[in-house]
Amino acid sequence: MLETDMEWEAELALPCPVRVPLERAFEEARDLGLLPAVKVLLEGHANKGEKADRDLAKALPEDLPWLFLTPGVGWLYGRESRERLMDSGAFSDISGWDEPSGPLAPLSDPLGHAMVLCANLTVLVVDDVRAQGRKRLESWEDLLDPSWERGLALRGNGKTFCETTLLTLESRFGREAMDGFRRAVGGYGHPSQMVKMMSKPSEGTPVAATLPLFFARLIPKREGLRIVWPTEGAIASPVTLFVRKGAPQNVLELARWLCGADVADLNAGVGLPSCRPQHAWGIPEGRELLWIGWDAIRGQDLSGRLADLQVLFDGAGT
């Protein structure tokens, strides 16, 4: 489906679980005539890297595609880039959704500037057999216990780590707690690598990992291995849609399709519950979300906080 012309009308940077199914759904919808021709670049967000996120945060609205989709709370949410892009009035909410409702209602932007389509949920996975002697893992806070030193694999490459996870944990527990979370890191990797690590552990590998719910469910079940939905909640990473004002009709039709029930079902099916009002949550009742919140996003400069956190965690787990 990918075009060779680099003048993209739409760019979709997607969490890994949804990239392939959404690409297939797009192709089917286009083949059936349900979508017009749109020049789309569709890629996994993990392949873009931190530099691409920083470049996005530096862009002017007119330098961006008519439509772009990006996951996570990261450099784009810094004060200067947020004010220039998200809160500038350069983008429109074309979802047509009613008032927010359901468990993901808190992710809805109270100012109506950002369209959060769904949330990628990060949970914990622990091997209780290998974790003997450590505090039983039930919450994010448990990782601050000294017994968890070097026991956790964290999403990242050893130099930079998952922005949403770091910012959310700092927002919940405070800056002073982040030294403790860093001490808990004993390894790192892409979620697919951590699935292999937890499925067939070797001596010295971490006994727990942070994983998107989709990847956590891929680990074969065995005695002592469990998915932990932390008591504070699964960390919610928003997948946010931006549509520039004045976008052509074909782009608007793509945007409305992305906001529709079929795509909401597709997202929920891979563990990314939809923010579409009245849409099925798809997660067992009573589960909490740990969401950084719009007050934190707009009340401080997240890019400054993130820069400090990445310096703190640089080299963790090595």
Side-chain angles (χ1 to χ4, degrees), residues 143-161:
L143 292 168
L144 297 175
D145 188 270
S147 68
W148 272 99
E149 184 170 352
R150 294 190 62 81
L152 178 74
L154 183 64
R155 290 169 62 190
N157 59 19
K159 184 173 179 61
T160 60
F161 292 87

Side-chain angles (χ1 to χ4, degrees), residues 29 41 93 98 100-101 106 132 189 196 242 249 251 273 279 294-295 315:
L41 174 63
D93 183 345
D98 298 327
S101 62
Q132 291 182 10
K196 294 178 181 179
F242 295 88
Q249 185 62 30
V251 172
H279 204 82
W294 289 102
D295 287 344

